[in-house]
Amino acid sequence: MSRDTEFSNAAASLGYAFDGEIKIGGNYVPLVRDGRHVYLSGQIPRVGDAVVVTGRAGADVPLAAAQLAAKVCVMRALALLQRSLGTLDKVSAILRITVYVQSAEDFTQQSEVADGASELLYRILGAAGAHTRTSVGVFQLPKNATVELDLVAAVE
C-alpha cells in the first residue's frame, strides 16, 4: 500500500480531513527545503478553523485526547510534506520531531503524548517514519492548543 493511501486511511480513522487549507498564523512559511532536508514549522491540532484539542494535559485534557492532538499535528505536517513533494513516497526519513505539550503542573507523561505522533509516523511511512524525538512540557501554547509539533524530514 502506498504511503499516500496509508495517510488517507489514517485521516479516515481519526475522523478528520487534511485536504483543505493548512492555515498558518503569522509572517512565516510552513516549510523550508534546504537540499534534501525539509524543516516544518510547528503544527497545532487545527482542522480547518478549529483547534480540536485545547487545554492542559493532565488537567483539562486526558492522556488519550492529548495523544489525539499529537496525531492531528503530525497529520498536518505530513499533509504539508505531501503537497510540497507531490507524494509521501518521496520522504526518505523523518529525522527529528519535537513535541510540546501544554501540561498541568504535575503532568509527567509528555513522552506518552508524543507516542501518538510517533506511532502514526511509523504506521504511515514504515521504517522512514523512525525518528529522533524530544518531548517537552510547557506552560502555554498558541490558541490554547494542547500540543504543538515540528519536524525535520529528509526527502528525495
Side-chain angles (χ1 to χ4, degrees), residues 43-129:
Q43 300 298 311
I44 61 174
R46 183 187 338 232
V47 178
D49 291 327
V51 180
V52 297
V53 184
T54 60
R56 295 190 185 286
D60 316 310
V61 180
L63 177 60
Q67 289 171 324
L68 171 64
K71 290 176 183 180
V72 172
C73 292
V74 86
M75 290 295 288
R76 286 174 50 94
L78 290 173
L80 287 166
L81 279 172
Q82 186 180 50
R83 291 174 191 180
S84 174
L85 301 170
T87 178
L88 291 174
D89 291 331
K90 292 185 180 178
V91 175
S92 303
I94 301 298
L95 300 174
R96 180 165 189 76
I97 68 170
T98 306
V99 180
Y100 302 92
V101 182
Q102 183 186 173
S103 301
E105 184 176 327
D106 60 347
F107 185 76
T108 61
Q109 293 181 290
Q110 290 82 10
S111 291
E112 288 85 345
V113 171
D115 285 343
S118 294
E119 291 165 6
L120 200 51
L121 282 169
Y122 187 76
R123 174 181 162 192
I124 294 169
L125 301 175

